[in-house]
């Protein structure tokens, strides 16, 4: 039992470390972009600090999101929770809401397309039952 | 007479009165003296011997006092008699028999345990009469000493004295009000005893403040009985006074209990209030632990009452007992023991349970106003542990007002929230919505009219400024340094923004949960976001940490007082 726990701890720790490494890598890439953009150099300590900061902030976000979802008596985190989280900074909130709208639009469009396809498939055999089918068959063939 | 006592260094009212009466005394009793001296002397000898035996126990100082009192008693008994009472003679008796105790030094008077016995051994009339004026000065020791000896005695004497006051003032006995007033005057003139005990009673239950007077009025009826009994007992004042003093109280106690069971209950708390008050500053810590015991002691109030005072002497813990007993007694006396017990049970349970209950009650409160309020009032009354209750309910309900009134009222209500958080004595009114709506809106209306008119932006109006300036002053006070006006203005600005932000958050949280009213959960979420509440530190822990028992004891009465709070002296 204790061995299992220790192993679990080890696993978690290594998992954490891997996550941190991934974050660090991404932060490094972003910093390089910004550096080339603004023509400013980033020292390694800075990048490390930023990545550590990001990691901890992600932890905070996760806890807050979970709390928000629980506060709304839900068990899944929603875009509403994310918006609530981001309400502090206006630009971020704007950005998120825009993205959200885009996504919803996209989703709705996709659904509409799917629905249309289904409807067409349903309608065609109904109205011009034989001719359409024959026409299609001939066209496909 | 002037020979028997040495005048005090301070010209007390007593000495003045004495001088006045001495000069005037020579006229009236001369006739009686000649006739009564022979009869009185026999009476004198026995009490004097009794007193001398008593004096062996006392300090030198009290001995001198006793000697003086003996001399005075002789004079008293030659001059006055039960049937021929006049206010003048009564006053004179007071001055003669009362020990030289100044109002300035109550503690010295506290010591003499036998003083009540001496007072008792003297003529009942003089004792009764002496008790009148003695009440402001001697009451502290009598309450202590007698409380230690036998509660019944003290109760009886109390009632008699009160009755005596009624006689002297020429008022009908049935006037409970005057008795109450006089008692109240006495009580508030004291620097000990009754001041605090009665206050929590009346403060905690404003609606029932009427009750004690009615009880006292009833007691007066028993006073007559007591008077008659004691007048009979006067026939053998000497040796019998001591023993019947021991037996009489029980008799009178029994007599009293027969027709009126309540007055004793009503008086027992007063007895114990006087006792624990002296130690109340030390005794608050063990309140919790004691509440357990008081739970069990609740029903056996009377049986415990004689036992309790004896215990009170030795240790602080016992004082705590008395304190808790007194509290529970008051609660039981006023709200009925049946109601007390379950709520006491709740109280004695863990604080968290209590708070959760109160939280739940708070949740229900919006829907079931009166029921919840009654329950919560009771629970608050008996529980010095309703921290979270206070922490959350006022905020929740004031938050109710916030959202319900208008979102623009955000800052004013956040100030309310902040006041509760920052300033303990300024706690929001009790959670019952009815009371809250009346009380919360009272300070609000000054802000409501300006708010309602200006809708769109949030202009800085006078009410805001006054509220924020208060905080700025607090800030400067805690900074302990002189502050520039500009700096204070900046502080005000920051506070304003902070409060606005706070209320925005609360509003958002509430709407996030699909509600229109802010609730304690929203506030807990806010505190979580603020970092005050996290996995290690829960809200309950914070409440316990920052709302200690002393503050809670201040807060709860203030919250329930309904703006009728009397300062403790």
């Amino acid at each position: 039992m204790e061995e299992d726990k220790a192993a679990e701890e080890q696993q978690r720790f290594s998992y954490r470390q891997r996550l941190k490494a991934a974050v660090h890598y991404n932060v490094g890439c972003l910093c390089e972009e910004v550096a080339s953009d603004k023509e400013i150099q980033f020292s390694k300590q800075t990048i490390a600090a930023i990545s550590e900061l990001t990691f901890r902030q992600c932890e905070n976000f996760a806890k807050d999101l979970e709390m928000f979802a629980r506060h709304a008596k839900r068990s899944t985190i929603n875009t509403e929770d994310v918006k609530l989280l981001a309400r502090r900074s206006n630009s971020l909130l704007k950005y998120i809401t825009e993205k959200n709208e885009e996504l919803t639009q996209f989703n709705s469009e996709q659904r509409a397309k799917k629905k249309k396809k289904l409807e067409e498939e349903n309608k065609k055999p109904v109205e011009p039952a034989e001719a359409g089918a024959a026409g299609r068959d001939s066209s496909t063939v | 007479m002037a020979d028997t006592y040495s005048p005090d260094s301070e010209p007390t009212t007593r000495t003045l009165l004495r001088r006045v009466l001495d000069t005037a005394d020579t006229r009236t009793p001369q006739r009686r003296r000649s006739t009564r001296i022979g009869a009185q002397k026999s009476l004198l000898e026995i009490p004097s011997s009794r007193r001398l035996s008593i004096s062996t126990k006392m300090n030198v100082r009290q001995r001198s006092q006793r000697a003086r009192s003996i001399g005075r008693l002789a004079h008293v008994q030659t001059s006055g008699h039960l049937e021929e009472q006049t206010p003048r003679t009564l006053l004179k008796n007071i001055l003669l028999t009362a020990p030289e105790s100044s109002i300035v030094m109550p503690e010295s008077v506290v010591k003499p345990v036998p003083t009540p016995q001496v007072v008792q051994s003297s003529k009942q009339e003089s004792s009764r009469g002496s008790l009148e004026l003695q009440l402001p000065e001697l009451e502290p020791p009598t309450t202590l000493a007698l409380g230690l000896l036998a509660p019944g005695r003290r109760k009886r004497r109390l009632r008699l004295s009160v009755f005596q006051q009624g006689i002297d003032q020429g008022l009908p006995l049935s006037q409970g009000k005057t008795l109450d007033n006089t008692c109240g005057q006495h009580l508030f003139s004291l620097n000990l005893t009754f001041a605090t005990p009665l206050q929590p009673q009346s403060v905690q239950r404003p609606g029932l403040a009427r009750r004690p007077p009615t009880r006292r009025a009833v007691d007066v009826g028993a006073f007559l009985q007591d008077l008659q009994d004691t007048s009979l007992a006067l026939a053998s004042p000497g040796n019998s006074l001591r023993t019947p003093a021991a037996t009489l109280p029980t008799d009178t106690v029994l007599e009293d209990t027969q027709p009126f069971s309540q007055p004793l209950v009503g008086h027992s708390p007063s007895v114990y209030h006087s006792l624990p008050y002296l130690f109340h500053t030390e005794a608050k810590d063990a309140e919790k632990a004691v509440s357990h015991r008081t739970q069990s002691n609740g029903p056996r109030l009377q049986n415990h009452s004689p036992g309790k005072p004896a215990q009170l002497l030795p240790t602080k813990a016992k004082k705590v007992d008395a304190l808790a007993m007194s509290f529970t007694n008051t609660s039981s006396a006023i709200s009925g023991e049946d109601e007390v017990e379950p709520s006491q049970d709740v109280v004695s349970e863990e604080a968290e349970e209590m708070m959760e209950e109160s939280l739940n009650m708070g949740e229900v409160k919006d829907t079931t106003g009166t029921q919840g309020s009654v329950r919560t009032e009771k629970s608050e009354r008996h529980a010095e542990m309703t921290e979270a209750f206070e922490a959350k309910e006022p905020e929740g309900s004031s938050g109710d007002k916030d959202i319900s009134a208008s979102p623009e009222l955000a800052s004013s209500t956040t100030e309310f929230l902040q006041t509760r958080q920052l300033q303990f004595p300024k706690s929001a009114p009790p959670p019952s919505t009815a009371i809250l709506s009346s009380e919360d809106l009272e300070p609000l209306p000054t802000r409501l009219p300006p708010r309602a008119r200006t809708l769109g932006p949030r202009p800085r109006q006078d009410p805001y400024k006054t509220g924020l300036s208060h905080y700025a002053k607090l800030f400067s006070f805690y900074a302990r340094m002189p502050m520039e006006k500009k700096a204070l203005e900046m502080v005000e600005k920051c506070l304003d923004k902070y409060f606005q932000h706070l209320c925005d958050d609360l509003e958002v949280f509430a709407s996030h949960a699909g509600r229109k009213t802010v609730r304690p959960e929203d506030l807990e979420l806010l505190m979580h976001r603020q970092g005050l509440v996290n996995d290690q530190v829960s809200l309950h822990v914070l409440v316990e940490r920052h709302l200690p028992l002393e503050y809670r004891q201040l807060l709860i009465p203030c919250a329930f007082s309904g703006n009728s709070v009397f300062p403790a002296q």
Side-chain angles (χ1 to χ4, degrees):
Chain A
M1 296 291 287
E2 291 172 2
E3 291 168 2
D4 290 344
K5 278 186 185 175
E8 226 182 280
E9 277 289 317
Q10 274 289 316
Q11 263 193 346
R12 266 190 225 150
F13 187 66
S14 63
Y15 189 63
R16 231 176 115 92
Q17 293 293 84
R18 273 188 279 147
L19 281 172
K20 270 193 184 175
V23 167
H24 186 81
Y25 175 72
N26 275 303
V27 165
C29 293
L30 284 168
C31 284
E32 272 184 34
E33 267 189 49
V34 171
S36 58
D37 203 21
K38 306 279 179 182
E39 290 166 14
I40 247 183
Q41 294 298 317
F42 278 86
S43 66
K44 291 218 168 166
Q45 289 93 350
T46 321
I47 296 174
I50 294 173
S51 63
E52 180 71 26
L53 193 72
T54 324
F55 193 75
R56 286 196 201 168
Q57 194 66 336
C58 282
E59 285 185 2
N60 274 339
F61 285 159
K63 287 183 193 166
D64 286 345
L65 285 169
E66 187 195 340
M67 268 199 343
F68 288 149
R70 203 179 294 160
H71 184 74
K73 289 152 197 165
R74 279 186 269 108
S75 57
T76 28
I77 292 174
N78 213 0
T79 47
E80 298 298 319
D81 301 323
V82 178
K83 280 194 216 165
L84 195 69
L85 188 74
R87 82 193 178 288
R88 285 287 169 117
S89 91
N90 280 332
S91 54
L92 188 60
L93 185 65
K94 253 194 202 176
Y95 184 73
I96 284 178
T97 40
E98 280 175 6
K99 278 278 173 177
N100 194 24
E101 281 167 20
E102 276 185 39
L103 279 172
T104 49
Q105 267 189 0
F106 186 63
N107 286 338
S108 60
E109 280 170 13
Q110 282 213 332
R111 277 178 221 155
K113 282 180 191 174
K114 282 182 189 174
K115 272 188 182 177
K116 278 181 188 174
K117 279 185 186 174
L118 286 169
E119 283 176 10
E120 283 166 14
E121 285 170 14
N122 289 337
K123 278 180 191 175
K124 283 180 183 177
V126 170
E127 293 174 355
E130 297 171 351
R136 256 196 294 144
D137 284 344
S138 60
S139 66
T140 52
V141 170
Chain B
M1 247 202 72
D3 306 334
T4 54
Y5 70 92
S6 56
D8 276 346
S9 54
E10 332 162 3
T12 60
T13 49
R14 166 158 309 217
T15 54
L16 288 170
L17 269 172
R18 187 181 290 117
R19 281 174 212 147
V20 164
L21 285 172
D22 285 346
T23 54
D25 197 24
T26 52
R27 290 174 219 154
T28 40
Q30 271 175 354
R31 268 181 290 152
R32 294 178 215 141
R33 252 190 221 158
S34 56
T35 54
R36 302 265 163 104
I37 277 178
Q40 302 278 341
K41 267 187 182 171
S42 57
L43 294 171
L44 267 181
E45 284 166 1
I46 305 162
S48 59
S49 66
R50 176 63 49 186
R51 270 175 244 119
L52 284 171
S53 65
I54 291 164
S55 68
T56 54
K57 299 178 192 172
M58 291 183 270
N59 319 349
V60 180
R61 187 160 177 261
Q62 284 118 35
R63 258 180 223 172
S64 61
Q65 288 181 357
R66 290 307 125 246
R68 280 183 241 142
S69 66
I70 288 162
R72 283 180 227 132
L73 276 168
H75 189 71
V76 164
Q77 290 175 355
T78 54
S79 56
H81 202 58
L82 181 58
E83 294 104 52
E84 295 173 2
Q85 264 177 12
T86 59
R88 164 152 298 171
T89 56
L90 279 170
L91 280 173
K92 189 197 56 182
N93 295 337
I94 295 158
L95 293 174
L96 292 178
T97 57
E100 288 294 331
S101 58
S102 84
I103 309 168
V104 182
M105 319 176 295
E107 289 157 285
S108 58
V109 195
V110 165
K111 281 176 194 171
V113 169
T115 37
Q117 296 175 9
V118 174
V119 173
Q120 245 187 341
S121 63
S122 68
K123 258 192 169 184
Q124 280 305 317
E125 158 219 326
S126 57
S127 73
R128 258 180 277 118
S130 64
L131 271 172
E132 267 183 2
L133 271 189
Q134 268 179 20
L135 266 177
E137 296 170 13
L138 193 61
E139 203 50 38
T142 52
T143 55
L144 273 176
L146 295 176
L148 297 172
L149 296 170
R153 258 187 239 164
R154 192 179 150 280
K155 288 178 214 160
R156 187 171 52 87
R157 210 175 294 111
L158 257 186
R159 280 183 238 118
L160 290 173
S161 64
V162 170
F163 169 62
Q164 206 59 37
Q165 290 160 28
I167 283 182
D168 281 349
Q169 293 168 13
L171 298 166
L173 298 172
S174 57
Q175 276 198 10
K177 275 187 184 177
T178 53
L179 293 175
D180 198 26
N181 287 343
T182 52
C183 283
Q185 284 164 14
H186 285 135
L187 299 174
F188 289 136
S189 64
L190 286 175
N191 34 7
L192 292 180
T193 64
F194 289 109
T196 349
L198 271 192
Q199 277 158 27
Q201 258 189 20
S202 60
V203 155
Q204 280 176 359
R205 302 160 192 78
L208 301 171
R210 281 178 264 110
R211 270 216 206 167
T214 58
R215 259 192 255 128
R216 285 202 189 106
V218 164
D219 286 338
V220 171
F223 296 170
L224 282 166
Q225 261 192 345
D226 293 337
L227 251 189
Q228 289 171 5
D229 296 334
T230 51
S231 65
L232 293 172
L234 276 175
S236 57
N239 53 356
S240 55
L241 266 177
R242 233 190 158 184
T243 46
T247 56
L248 264 176
T250 54
D251 293 342
T252 50
V253 162
L254 290 172
E255 278 175 32
D256 287 339
T257 51
Q258 277 169 9
F260 328 99
S261 57
Q262 275 190 346
L264 267 180
V265 173
H267 274 288
S268 57
S270 57
V271 178
Y272 299 104
H273 284 307
S274 64
L275 294 162
Y277 176 74
L278 284 178
F279 319 114
H280 80 290
T281 48
E282 309 151 347
K284 309 254 164 128
D285 303 332
E287 187 70 49
K288 263 192 195 181
V290 174
S291 63
H292 281 276
R293 300 175 62 180
T294 55
Q295 228 190 343
S296 55
N297 289 344
R300 296 162 295 161
L301 217 154
Q302 296 222 357
N303 297 338
H304 274 266
S305 55
K308 280 291 178 182
Q311 294 176 12
L312 275 168
L313 260 182
T315 56
K316 284 184 187 179
K318 304 290 177 79
K319 296 166 199 169
V320 171
D321 284 346
L323 180 66
M325 266 289 284
S326 67
F327 275 110
T328 53
N329 285 350
T330 48
S331 53
S332 60
I334 286 172
S335 63
E337 290 189 13
D338 298 335
E339 300 168 320
V340 167
E341 299 256 333
S343 56
Q344 273 186 349
D345 288 334
V346 175
V347 167
S348 63
E349 296 300 333
E350 290 177 1
E352 290 193 8
E353 287 185 22
M354 189 60 214
M355 286 184 280
E356 284 181 16
E357 227 190 85
S358 56
L359 278 176
N360 295 334
M361 284 196 282
E363 286 171 8
V364 175
K365 196 170 285 300
D366 288 340
T367 54
T368 67
T370 50
Q371 285 183 9
S373 65
V374 168
R375 267 193 74 201
T376 50
E377 273 184 30
K378 275 187 203 169
S379 56
E380 282 241 0
R381 230 181 278 151
H382 307 306
E384 274 79 26
M385 294 187 253
T386 54
E387 313 97 347
F389 198 85
E390 281 204 330
K392 295 193 172 178
E393 280 309 320
E395 291 160 358
S397 34
S398 58
D400 282 346
K401 307 292 172 301
D402 177 18
I403 296 289
S404 57
S406 73
E408 282 91 1
L409 280 170
S411 49
S412 63
T413 48
T414 43
E415 285 180 34
F416 270 101
L417 294 169
Q418 284 306 106
T419 53
R420 197 218 57 79
Q421 284 175 9
L422 297 174
Q423 310 168 33
F424 296 113
K426 264 186 117 186
S427 68
S432 64
T433 48
I435 298 171
L436 264 172
S437 52
S438 62
E439 284 184 318
D440 234 0
L441 288 174
E442 274 167 18
L444 271 177
T446 57
R447 299 172 189 180
L448 264 174
R451 284 319 244 151
R453 287 172 215 152
T454 65
L455 285 176
R458 287 185 199 175
R460 284 279 176 89
Q461 298 187 0
D462 283 338
Y464 285 116
K465 290 247 170 169
T466 52
L468 288 174
S469 65
H470 180 71
Y471 288 112
K473 281 178 196 167
L474 266 180
F475 184 88
S476 64
F477 167 73
Y478 281 111
R480 284 177 224 158
M481 279 168 50
M483 286 184 67
E484 282 184 343
K485 272 204 173 182
K486 281 196 175 180
L488 283 175
E489 280 174 25
M490 285 309 298
V491 166
E492 278 186 25
K493 256 193 192 176
C494 294
L495 281 170
D496 189 40
K497 291 208 169 162
Y498 177 70
F499 290 140
Q500 286 181 7
H501 201 69
L502 206 74
C503 269
D504 284 342
D505 282 356
L506 283 173
E507 186 186 341
V508 162
F509 288 154
S511 64
H512 182 74
R515 282 185 266 109
K516 285 185 185 175
T517 47
V518 179
R519 306 203 101 246
E521 300 90 60
D522 302 324
L523 210 74
E524 193 163 0
L525 194 69
L526 182 74
M527 291 189 83
H528 205 283
R529 297 242 35 210
Q530 281 183 339
L532 291 168
V533 175
N534 52 32
D535 299 333
Q536 285 83 37
V537 180
S538 82
L539 186 70
H540 304 319
V541 172
L542 274 183
V543 168
E544 277 189 38
R545 201 185 287 169
H546 296 287
L547 277 182
L549 202 63
E550 293 83 9
Y551 283 125
R552 269 177 258 150
Q553 286 193 327
L554 281 175
L555 276 173
I556 293 172
C558 286
F560 278 107
S561 66
N563 284 339
S564 63
V565 180
F566 304 100
Q569 288 195 344

